[in-house]
Amino acid sequence: AQSVSQHNHHVILSEAASLELGCNYSYGGTVNLFWYVQYPGQHLQLLLKYFSGDPLVKGIKGFEAEFIKSKFSFNLRKPSVQWSDTAEYFCAVSPGSQGNLIFGKGTKLSVKP
Amino acid sequence: DAGVIQSPRHEVTEMGQEVTLRCKPISGHDYLFWYRQTMMRGLELLIYFNNNVPIDDSGMPEDRFSAKMPNASFSTLKIQPSEPRDSAVYFCASGIAPYEQYFGPGTRLTVT
């Protein structure tokens, strides 16, 4: 069965530190890839998405993600985090060209001021 | 657009009672999804509809759960009878494709 793995359950960083959250998926074919963010007490919001083309995708609020096909990975990065980035981050994969989203279990990010 | 609208935002009920959660998708979106989020299990897809027709309900936990979409602008998720283990945040999402999903604010359900 297809699955999405987010290796870090909880990441704690100080402000201005760099961030990288891992995401791996198990599906050999074409995929669409997504990162969602859920701020405390709020709903999921789309952070960025990859369908095709340049494997380095830039999203909102300074986030970016890189698709590495050979590693089945789509890691999220931000060079310098802020306290307001404290949230839970979900990686999601849509297998094939019209597949549903399969979500990872999420990584909670806490940024200390 | 107002986005996906869910009601109620919070629901507290006693075990054994019927609970109905409501969702109004974004106008023009053909897909509608119901998710459940808990600390233990994360985000789980319960069921999704395309053009008001249920496509995949394999995530519905048991017969106590049912979902309907009588028209393009309204869907319900019903739990009857409710149990404490149903306590969770229930999200509705809609989209123009199965992978383009816009989430509502969620309904926090507490069953005592």
Side-chain angles (χ1 to χ4, degrees):
Chain A
Q2 296 124 12
S3 65
V4 178
S5 298
Q6 292 184 243
H7 313 294
N8 308 105
H9 178 64
H10 191 184
V11 173
I12 302 173
L13 296 172
S14 297
E15 273 195 316
S18 64
L19 169 72
E20 181 159 5
L21 302 182
C23 172
N24 289 88
Y25 61 92
S26 63
Y27 184 74
T30 304
V31 291
N32 299 318
L33 299 157
F34 306 82
W35 277 97
Y36 282 80
V37 59
Q38 186 177 28
Y39 296 103
Q42 296 189 26
H43 60 285
L44 276 77
Q45 303 170 47
L46 183 64
L47 200 54
L48 50 78
K49 59 188 176 185
Y50 172 81
F51 288 162
S52 63
D54 188 344
L56 185 62
V57 180
K58 294 193 184 300
I60 59 172
K61 303 187 181 186
F63 286 91
E64 64 179 31
E66 184 175 14
F67 171 47
I68 303 180
K69 189 174 181 180
S70 61
K71 295 184 178 180
F72 299 91
S73 71
F74 190 55
N75 291 356
L76 181 70
R77 300 196 292 248
K78 186 171 183 179
S80 175
V81 295
Q82 301 173 314
W83 177 78
S84 58
D85 293 325
T86 294
E88 190 157 14
Y89 293 81
F90 293 88
C91 180
V93 173
S94 169
S97 59
Q98 290 291 320
N100 271 341
L101 291 180
I102 301 169
F103 282 89
K105 292 217 179 287
T107 297
K108 191 165 291 188
L109 172 66
S110 298
V111 180
K112 298 183 292 184
Chain B
D1 199 315
V4 175
I5 299 172
Q6 290 187 248
S7 64
R9 294 294 308 277
H10 301 273
E11 175 81 32
V12 180
T13 191
E14 292 184 346
M15 183 174 66
Q17 296 298 306
E18 177 180 295
V19 175
T20 300
L21 311 181
R22 297 172 177 81
C23 175
K24 177 178 168 52
I26 295 171
S27 177
H29 285 188
D30 294 329
Y31 289 85
L32 184 138
F33 306 81
W34 282 102
Y35 288 88
R36 177 172 69 176
Q37 186 179 38
T38 61
M39 291 283 288
M40 292 295 294
R41 302 168 77 101
L43 196 62
E44 304 172 276
L45 176 65
L46 300 178
I47 185 172
Y48 82 94
F49 296 83
N50 179 215
N51 292 321
N52 314 338
V53 176
I55 302 301
D56 183 357
D57 65 355
S58 59
M60 296 286 261
E62 48 198 277
D63 292 345
R64 298 185 297 106
F65 285 69
S66 62
K68 293 182 180 179
M69 192 164 186
N71 58 62
S73 58
F74 184 65
S75 176
T76 60
L77 178 68
K78 187 175 293 187
I79 308 172
Q80 164 66 15
S82 58
E83 296 182 5
R85 61 194 168 116
D86 301 330
S87 296
V89 181
Y90 291 81
F91 287 104
C92 176
S94 71
I96 57 173
Y99 48 82
E100 288 258 21
Q101 297 184 22
Y102 296 84
F103 283 75
T107 295
R108 183 174 295 276
L109 173 65
T110 303
V111 183
T112 60

